[in-house]
Amino acid sequence: MIIAVTGLNTAGEPEAGFGVLQCLSAVKASHDQLIGLAYQPLDAGLFHAGLMHRAYVMPPPKTDRMAFLKRITLIKKQKGLDALIPAVDEEMELFIDMEPQLRAAGIATLLPFGKSLRELQSELYRQLGKQKDADEKDEQNDPPVLPPALIKNPVSEQTAPNAAIAPDYFSVAVVADCRSRIVAIASVRKLLISRYGGTWMALTVDNHEFLDIAEEMVRSTAWQGALTIDIARNRQGEQFLSGFHSTFPDWIGLARGAGANLPAVLIHLIQKKKIRGVAQTLPGKVWIRSSIDLVTDLNHFGDISLNGEMTYDQT
Amino acid sequence: MLQAHVVITGLMATDNPYPGLGIARCLRDAPEFRGRISGFVFDPLSTGAFCEGVFERVFLVPYPAAGAEVLLERIHEIHRADPIDVLIPSLDSEVILYAQIARELASLGIQTLLPPVGSIKMRSKNQLYEFCRGHRFRCPETFMLNNVGEVSARCRDLGGAPFVLKGALSDAAVCHTVEEGEYQYWQLFHQWGYPILMQQYIAGEEIDVIALADKKSQLTGAVVMKKFGLTPKGKAFSGITVEDEKPVQLTRQILKSLKWIGPAECEFLRDEKGRHYLMEINSRFPSWLYLAAAAGQNLPLLTVKLACDMAVRPLTSYQVGKLFVRTVSDALLDVRQFMELTVSGEVRL
């Protein structure tokens, strides 16, 4: 099977595509091929040798949807392409709109419906409203809106002064089938979050605490495909939906390491394979992300820029 | 063959990484380095400490704010159990601390390659302008602001807007009006405290030089890098080695004048007339140091050799057109192993 994944920008606030490719790379059969779809020739994921067979620099669908469709159809015709996993949250609505054209071209996806996406957005606003009300009630004794628990001062490295009273941040990633049943789940507590919201350290926790919330979300919105739900828990143990992503999270590599390869499950669903039970992560695994520099030379970068594609050595 | 137990600090490696992990990767890449590498962290959440295949042991040490005495006590304790040969601090706030205890460390048998405390102070943001004036290095005119009311007066002294306001430790803002300057003054004050510096605005391109000076303040290696890509938040995530003799010569003279010893980074702006202005000196390796090693100058390896008084031939060339791209590396640990660092103050990886 030939699978394409977007979201290869791993600088600053890494996109999820890198982790999705790592997960798929771990289970791929010898005849499977992984394709990276980048939007910039400097997207750092392009420089990870050994992760993909080929990569393309694509016209971003948000600026030119037709150009994207034209290019992806050409790739399908020339080199083959069976399935596509979008891994950038902001582009999901566009991919939902393009799904009929992708299907007509023979490129399979498992994306939520536009209506599901809008319902989830409404639910988020309802929850944020609830949180605001609770904060206002609490205002006399507690500070109102609290920052993520472990955001650091970049120079002093001291934890934010009000960390002791900040809430805990959890994140739950699921894969739902086309009947809106959860077939894979991974739950983590975020231990370190960057100033811009990227996850740099996370710990898998017991999924049972979050399965009910996730099932309720998936059922009520008739969700299918990947979904990430961010949950904040305050000192009183009250939980609030603090965000959601219609894609896999940036920490998805942890799910594989903890025993549940969610991107592989999504591919099984796309392939219409029968899935028994619910794939679940084990608690107690810590995932730690470090920023590192890869070095290449200008000619290599020039090749990607000029040709818009790159084939990687598989030996 | 170089066999030494090297300890490296500055291992936080998130979106704005410190150089510690890069230093360790350079040593791991050097075929002649056959020693062991350990890390010192004052925060168990220092992600780079856990990067796969880099550090063998990680030790928890006191925060720099605790002072030199407490730090020395902890190093003594670690050194008794697992003797250290060379120590490379890699945060500005730590370099001065380690420089203060360099003699005590040497008496324990722990070698360092650090500048004198006076040189470190002279390169600080609020003294750099005076240093440059005294030694005739080109540098933007700089004032220290004592209160927000001075923004307007100093703006006139600088010949009007635009001008630059700089925070005490980090961050800078180009201001186009006095009002904007007054607003940015408070932004920088709340983020970084005093002093706030006001600087003449120079239009030009940024050129950074990574450098290493030996114990006689002679330049032993230098690589010039130009930033190539910025994140939406304005941080460089890519850079390229370029051939440019002028900033290397300037760096050589600056480090000599400063009586500098050890790693440094000189940041220059080159204006349209080709004049280089010294903007900043960092008292450590920059986070992009891995590029220099890949281009032919493994400066962390030279640092270890110089610290151990081994003979070193200065590096004078490097490959031009090498490009670094910042990305991520993920590691997985069992929570019990991860907690060991917090519970017992050290972990074997």
Side-chain angles (χ1 to χ4, degrees), chain B residues 6-287:
Chain B
V6 179
V7 169
I8 297 164
T9 76
L11 306 187
M12 181 54 82
T14 55
D15 55 341
N16 191 16
Y18 294 146
L21 177 58
I23 295 172
R25 288 180 69 217
C26 288
L27 290 178
R28 284 272 174 248
D29 279 4
E32 66 178 292
F33 182 78
R34 288 279 187 273
R36 296 191 300 122
I37 305 176
S38 297
F40 274 4
V41 298
F42 44 75
D43 183 340
L45 300 184
S46 298
T47 57
F50 304 97
C51 190
E52 261 174 39
V54 181
F55 294 96
E56 286 164 44
R57 291 182 87 171
V58 178
F59 299 93
L60 209 52
V61 295
Y63 271 93
E69 210 171 299
V70 185
L71 178 66
L72 195 59
E73 209 173 291
R74 174 68 175 135
I75 294 174
H76 212 148
E77 185 183 283
I78 294 166
H79 185 60
R80 271 197 300 265
D82 189 359
I84 300 163
D85 297 308
V86 178
L87 208 157
I88 308 178
S90 67
L91 277 181
D92 282 324
S93 58
E94 289 180 322
V95 168
I96 191 153
L97 204 59
Y98 281 96
Q100 284 165 358
I101 58 171
R103 200 167 292 169
E104 286 89 339
L105 290 172
S107 70
L108 294 174
I110 302 172
Q111 308 306 326
T112 55
L113 189 72
L114 295 169
V117 173
S119 306
I120 301 173
K121 287 183 178 162
M122 216 184 290
R123 50 60 58 189
S124 65
K125 284 187 184 212
N126 48 358
Q127 291 190 34
L128 187 65
Y129 179 56
E130 289 308 318
F131 164 76
C132 286
R133 268 170 48 127
H135 291 83
R136 296 179 163 273
F137 294 116
R138 203 171 267 126
C139 173
E141 196 169 355
T142 307
F143 299 108
M144 209 187 317
L145 300 179
N146 296 307
N147 59 63
V148 71
E150 288 185 37
V151 172
S152 169
R154 291 303 191 189
C155 179
R156 278 193 301 275
D157 293 342
L158 288 174
F163 54 85
V164 180
L165 288 189
K166 289 177 124 174
L169 290 171
S170 186
D171 275 355
V174 178
C175 305
H176 297 86
T177 60
V178 169
E179 290 72 23
E180 191 183 353
E182 287 169 349
Y183 168 77
Q184 289 296 350
Y185 177 94
W186 290 116
Q187 293 290 313
L188 291 166
F189 170 72
H190 289 306
Q191 177 89 26
W192 304 108
Y194 281 118
I196 309 287
L197 300 174
M198 188 164 173
Q199 203 166 62
Q200 173 195 5
Y201 173 75
I202 310 278
E205 64 173 344
E206 191 176 331
I207 288 165
D208 298 333
V209 182
I210 181 175
L212 181 68
D214 67 12
K215 289 180 179 174
K216 289 176 178 160
S217 302
Q218 298 292 332
L219 197 66
T220 313
V223 173
V224 185
M225 185 274 292
K226 258 171 73 172
K227 288 178 182 173
F228 200 61
L230 297 175
T231 65
K233 316 288 177 192
K235 293 278 172 198
F237 69 91
S238 179
I240 188 165
T241 54
V242 293
E243 192 173 6
D244 196 346
E245 194 46 37
K246 184 78 189 290
V248 174
Q249 287 305 337
L250 278 170
T251 300
R252 187 190 305 278
Q253 292 159 12
I254 290 164
L255 296 186
K256 185 86 187 156
S257 306
L258 268 176
K259 299 186 171 57
W260 196 262
I261 297 169
E265 180 191 29
C266 291
E267 296 180 4
F268 297 96
L269 260 185
R270 183 170 57 197
D271 71 6
E272 55 187 13
K273 291 180 180 161
R275 295 176 299 198
H276 289 77
Y277 289 81
L278 178 63
M279 305 304 288
E280 214 162 296
I281 302 175
N282 292 315
S283 56
R284 46 159 176 86
F285 285 128
S287 59

Side-chain angles (χ1 to χ4, degrees), chain A residues 10 48 152 154 286 292-293 296, chain B residues 13 18 43 323 326-327 330 333:
Chain A
T10 50
H48 280 269
K152 303 276 176 160
V286 183
I292 60 159
D293 293 349
T296 179
Chain B
Y18 294 146
D43 183 340
L323 183 81
R326 190 149 289 163
T327 181
D330 300 338
L333 279 186

Side-chain angles (χ1 to χ4, degrees), chain A residues 10-14 18 22 42-45 47-48 150 152-159 191-192 194-196 200-201 203 254 257-258 284-298 301, chain B residues 12-18 21 25 42-45 47-48 50-51 63 169-170 192 228-229 231 233 237-238 240 287-288 290-291 294 321-335 338:
Chain A
T10 50
E13 201 178 326
F18 174 67
Q22 280 179 319
L42 264 183
D43 279 355
F47 300 91
H48 280 269
L150 287 158
K152 303 276 176 160
N153 177 318
V155 165
S156 70
E157 278 302 332
Q158 302 279 6
T159 305
L191 301 178
L192 184 63
S194 77
R195 282 161 291 166
Y196 308 125
W200 292 87
M201 217 181 255
L203 164 72
L254 170 57
K285 291 282 176 197
V286 183
W287 172 88
I288 303 163
R289 170 160 277 182
S290 296
S291 183
I292 60 159
D293 293 349
L294 294 181
V295 176
T296 179
D297 63 42
L298 197 55
F301 169 71
Chain B
M12 181 54 82
T14 55
D15 55 341
N16 191 16
Y18 294 146
L21 177 58
R25 288 180 69 217
F42 44 75
D43 183 340
L45 300 184
T47 57
F50 304 97
C51 190
Y63 271 93
L169 290 171
S170 186
W192 304 108
F228 200 61
T231 65
K233 316 288 177 192
F237 69 91
S238 179
I240 188 165
S287 59
W288 54 270
Y290 191 72
L291 173 71
K322 281 279 176 189
L323 183 81
F324 90 82
V325 183
R326 190 149 289 163
T327 181
V328 290
S329 170
D330 300 338
L332 204 66
L333 279 186
D334 192 88
V335 71
F338 176 69

